[in-house]
Each structure stands twice: as C-alpha cells, then as structure tokens.
C-alpha cells in the first residue's frame, strides 16, 4: 500500500530537477503528474549519488558515502529524506527493482577504480550501469507493452552516454580519465598522453566520425522504444534524446569542438526540439 503523498517532498524533488536537469528537464515537463514526480525523484537520486562522490574530501571517504547511499534505499519513507520519500512511492507504484537502483550506485563506484577502458565492450558495460539502467527504470515508470522496450532503452541509454563521453573528453582528461576505448584510439594513432594533453593528433577527426556513427546506430535502435510506450512519455523520450542528438550533430560538424569547449544547445534550439517531439510521429 502506498503511503500518503508528501507535498513538501514533491516540491523539493521538482525544484531540484528544475535546477539541476539542464537537458532532461525539457522532456520531463511533458509527462503526466505522477510519472513526472517519479522521474524527478529518480533523477534527483542519481544526481545526489554523483554529488556525494564529487564533494567527498578524499577518495578514501567515497566508499563510506556510497555505502550510505545503498543504506538509504533500505530506509524507505524516511521523513527527513524528501527524495527517498517520493522515489520509494515510485518504486512501489511502478515495480522498479531495487537491484536496478543499486546497479546505478555500482556504476558510480566504478569511477573510483577504473579510469581507462580497453575495449568498447568494457566501456559498454560501464555505460549500462550509469545510463542504460536509468533508461530501464524510466520505461518502467512510463509503462510498456512489450519486454523489448527494455532492450531498446538499453541502446538509447548507450547512445546518450556515448554522446556525453564525446562531449566531455576535455573535462574528463583534466581529471585524468579517458572514457574512450583505448584499442580504438590506438587504431586511429591516438595515444593516452595525446588525449590527456588535449592534443590527440591527426587521427582525431576520423576517430570522432567512427564514434558518432556508432552513436547514430544506437540512437536508431534506441528510438524503437517509442513503439512500446504511451504517447506522452514518448514525447518525453523524443525530447531528451533529441537534445542529445543535437549535441551529437554539433560534434559531427566540428570534431575539434570537444577539445575546446562543451557542446550544448541554446534555449531556442531546445525549444525547437520540444515542439518537434510533439509533432514527430512515433516510430
């Protein structure tokens, strides 16, 4: 049985999502109220887990903080935890497996031990934990009429995360991290030192073209999720994915962009994506 709604907790979740979800929020607003609140809480929880890691005074402190996040999931309707209050209602209402929430924390924890990925399969496994698993939980909230929806959500999550990785190459390198398959970098004559120094060399543009083509294939497969979810959530998915496709297009047009700045869409460009998502027919 669901516990009574806490309006203060819902306001907290909505305010946090509005403040923090710079791209995704444009999609969230198209959802029916109950689904929107569930998505807010899911996003906020993921954001808080990330923030716990980012704000830790030392790496030695991070495992304890992540253990506290796992314990948080077990406290259900903690009166002092607005996000968990709303998220636990969502977990119960939409049958979200706790294992998927725990897997998200596992993905964040992997950043403590892994700063390189040798192959695409290695990177894909990481992306599944931090992105695809979130897509699966979103689809559970949206409702779906075929289990294939979960597989398509996996691919869409991979497409979004790969776009993130390409966008954030410089920022990640400044932290000593390379979220690009080392074997594939080597195929294009790019070294780890070149990435870390922000001077990847002449093979960079061909490498980016290879990765954006992969992202395109993942987007095409991921968009098939629209076949299995209702119209309003479909508009949400089309908006969020459309914004990231816009970022990918900017990187395709200017492969040097990630080396100099962070590709982003303007407010006007995002608004056009929102309108287009409502006008675009489902797959």
């Amino acid at each position: 049985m669901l516990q009574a709604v806490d309006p203060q907790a819902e306001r907290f979740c909505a305010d946090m999502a509005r403040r923090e979800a710079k791209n995704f929020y444009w999609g969230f607003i198209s959802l029916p109220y109950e689904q929107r609140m569930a998505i807010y809480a899911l996003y906020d929880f993921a954001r808080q887990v990330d923030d716990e890691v980012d704000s830790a005074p030392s790496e030695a402190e991070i495992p304890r903080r992540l253990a506290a996040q796992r314990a948080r999931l077990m406290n259900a309707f903690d009166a002092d935890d607005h996000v968990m209050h709303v998220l636990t209602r969502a977990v119960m209402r939409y049958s979200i497996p706790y294992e998927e929430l725990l897997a998200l924390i596992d993905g964040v924890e992997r950043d403590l031990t892994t700063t390189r990925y040798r192959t695409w399969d290695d990177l894909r496994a990481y992306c599944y934990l931090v992105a695809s698993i979130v897509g699966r939980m979103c689809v559970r909230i949206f409702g779906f009429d075929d289990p294939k929806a979960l597989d398509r959500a996996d691919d869409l999550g991979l497409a979004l995360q790969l776009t993130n990785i390409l966008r954030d190459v410089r920022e990640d390198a400044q932290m000593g991290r390379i979220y690009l398959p080392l074997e594939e970098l080597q195929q294009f004559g790019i070294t780890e030192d070149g990435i870390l120094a922000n001077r990847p060399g002449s093979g960079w543009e061909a490498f980016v073209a290879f990765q954006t083509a992969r992202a395109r294939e993942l987007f095409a497969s991921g968009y098939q999720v629209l076949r299995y979810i209702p119209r309003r959530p479909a508009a949400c998915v089309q908006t969020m994915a459309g914004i990231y496709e816009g970022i990918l297009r900017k990187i395709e047009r200017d492969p040097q962009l990630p080396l100099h700045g962070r590709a982003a869409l303007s407010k006007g460009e995002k608004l056009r994506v929102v309108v287009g998502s409502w006008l675009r027919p489902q797959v």
Side-chain angles (χ1 to χ4, degrees), residues 157-211:
L158 289 170
L160 269 60
Q161 188 64 20
L162 182 54
T163 301
N164 264 339
I165 287 168
L166 293 171
R167 180 194 64 186
D168 296 342
V169 166
R170 182 183 180 187
E171 182 179 324
D172 290 332
Q174 289 171 343
M175 296 186 292
R177 299 181 179 279
I178 300 176
Y179 292 98
L180 297 165
L182 298 182
E183 286 187 354
E184 293 177 2
L185 285 171
Q186 187 177 15
Q187 289 169 16
F188 289 89
I190 302 169
T191 65
E192 292 182 46
D193 288 344
I195 294 293
L196 295 176
N198 205 39
R199 292 192 297 272
S202 60
W204 177 250
E205 293 196 4
F207 174 80
V208 171
F210 179 81
Q211 299 299 334

Side-chain angles (χ1 to χ4, degrees), residues 45-67 69-70 104-113 126 175 177 179:
F45 175 74
R47 179 77 267 156
Q48 288 177 332
V49 172
D50 275 340
D51 289 346
E52 280 291 274
V53 172
D54 293 341
S55 65
S58 68
E59 282 198 8
E61 172 71 6
I62 294 175
R64 187 195 67 78
R65 289 189 171 206
L66 292 179
Q69 291 298 318
R70 292 185 177 96
L104 175 61
I105 299 176
D106 291 344
V108 174
E109 188 170 40
R110 187 166 293 189
D111 285 334
L112 301 179
T113 58
Y126 165 76
M175 296 186 292
R177 299 181 179 279
Y179 292 98

Side-chain angles (χ1 to χ4, degrees), residues 238-251:
Q238 287 173 318
T239 297
M240 294 188 294
I243 288 172
Y244 274 78
E245 272 197 298
I247 293 170
L248 188 68
R249 279 194 296 273
K250 291 193 175 201
I251 295 171

